[in-house]
Amino acid sequence: MPLVEPFRTANGRTATKEALLVCIRGDAGEGWGECAAFTTPTYAPDTIDTARLVLREYLLPPLLARVPLPAIRGHGAARAALECALLDGRLRRDGVSLAAHLGAVRSRVDAGVAIGFCDDDAHFGELLRGYLDDGYRRVKCKIEPGRDTAVLHAARDTVGDGFPLAADANGSYTLADATSLAGLDRFDLQCLEQPLAADALADHAALASRIRSPLCLDESVTSATIARDAIASGATRVVSIKPARLGIGEARAVHDVCVAAGIPAVAGGMLETGIGRAALVALAALPGFTITGDCSASDRYFGPDGDLTEPFALEDGRLGVPEGPGLGVTVRPEQLERFTVARERIRAKDV
């Protein structure tokens, strides 16, 4: 699916969204899930190809044979997609929305937008002003060594003092960059997301004592257990929670860890289609998400009518939480046909 604006981070450039969808059909009806892994293992170890393999060979056969699933290590994106499809089907059958199932406390959530790298400063400013005019309530800018101060200076000048501004480094710095990272404090960042490598919890704790900007961990948090350890060690003061990477159940568990510790949570997006976005928005309606997350409208990525489901649209800077059963969105057959490049079908009788 072509993106209306290519998205560039420290991990690479994305001009299209490639998604692996999981549809489960059975006695409980139909349920959908989205695997939001990327095509290359630059952001996380998972890719669309590895997720497809794990689903086909290790997750779906025992499920269809009605035997216990094996203990699969890693491969969170594949497991998250299957979990979402199963939960969507069950909740649709029971007439319960995902938001209600999770314990949502809001019917609308504040919308935020993440901006990738732009080679043209004028284009960056144009994009940013456009998002502000649209009503977005938070801006997050991608940064990396050598491309941080100028980006944040331009962003702060545009959004003004007091507007929520965050930076995301996708692990591109090291602890040796602590002095330059401390220099970013002058931009009054709401949080500085994942400045160091995903496995560098001790370095994040050391960095946290040397800068004023609150650190937010994303790639580092792969489970509720790690979230608890990161908080206890002082490595983070904000946690980015991505249901597409963790799975809905584990994402809810991480949220509960944050609430228990008094740590703000932020809902993190992964360029999802309307299927994954429905799960993200439902999760963002939980009480612990006190910082506006990467919950953007569908037209931010796919244009006004390019999503796979009915579009998520901004209303006064917020997105409505789906109220219908399950995910609360409907996959549009014509859009699915338009963008599908391959299908695989696994039946119980074939297992």
Side-chain angles (χ1 to χ4, degrees), residues 50-62 70 72 344 346:
T50 61
R52 183 185 294 116
L53 173 67
V54 169
L55 284 161
R56 181 203 303 127
E57 302 294 334
Y58 299 104
L59 294 177
L60 289 173
I72 300 293
E344 294 186 47
I346 301 177

Side-chain angles (χ1 to χ4, degrees), residues 99-344:
H101 170 74
L102 292 173
V105 296
R106 292 183 283 269
S107 60
R108 298 195 302 164
V109 299
D110 288 352
V113 64
I115 304 180
F117 294 117
C118 293
D119 292 329
D120 187 294
D121 293 343
H123 183 55
F124 175 80
E126 180 184 346
L127 279 177
L128 186 48
R129 287 188 293 273
Y131 294 139
L132 294 176
D133 289 343
D134 289 340
Y136 281 101
R137 296 176 173 235
R138 177 194 190 235
V139 169
K140 183 174 78 174
C141 297
K142 296 292 182 178
I143 63 171
E144 64 182 357
R147 302 182 72 176
D148 43 26
T149 302
V151 169
L152 294 176
H153 190 280
R156 178 53 78 194
D157 279 354
T158 302
V159 302
D161 294 338
F163 187 90
L165 175 66
D168 183 5
N170 289 117
S172 57
Y173 295 83
T174 71
L175 189 57
D177 298 307
T179 299
S180 61
L181 288 171
L184 304 182
D185 287 343
R186 66 181 183 274
F187 298 113
D188 188 26
L189 297 177
Q190 187 184 55
C191 62
L192 173 59
E193 185 174 323
Q194 200 67 50
L196 313 180
D199 57 359
L201 288 186
D203 283 355
H204 275 102
L207 177 63
S209 68
R210 298 172 62 178
I211 68 174
R212 190 173 68 251
S213 302
L215 291 188
C216 171
L217 290 187
D218 171 15
E219 292 96 319
S220 296
V221 179
T222 55
S223 69
T225 299
I226 291 180
R228 189 162 48 243
D229 289 350
I231 293 169
S233 70
T236 189
R237 285 194 277 162
V238 182
V239 175
S240 176
I241 303 177
K242 293 182 174 176
R245 189 164 57 81
L246 297 170
I248 293 172
E250 194 65 21
R252 172 60 195 267
V254 175
H255 162 274
D256 293 347
V257 166
C258 292
V259 170
I263 292 291
V266 55
M270 291 186 64
L271 306 181
E272 296 97 335
T273 73
I275 296 170
R277 194 164 308 278
L280 174 65
V281 172
L283 186 78
L286 293 178
F289 290 96
T290 55
I291 291 181
T292 302
D294 305 332
C295 298
S296 299
S298 297
D299 63 3
R300 155 71 176 92
Y301 301 110
F302 309 115
D305 195 42
D307 211 339
L308 296 181
T309 67
E310 58 270 43
F312 282 84
L314 279 181
E315 294 184 16
D316 191 28
R318 296 185 174 93
L319 299 179
V321 179
E323 298 178 347
L327 291 174
V329 293
T330 303
V331 176
R332 299 191 288 174
E334 72 282 3
Q335 289 293 86
L336 197 63
E337 185 64 30
R338 175 185 175 191
F339 292 115
T340 296
V341 296
R343 291 184 177 89
E344 294 186 47

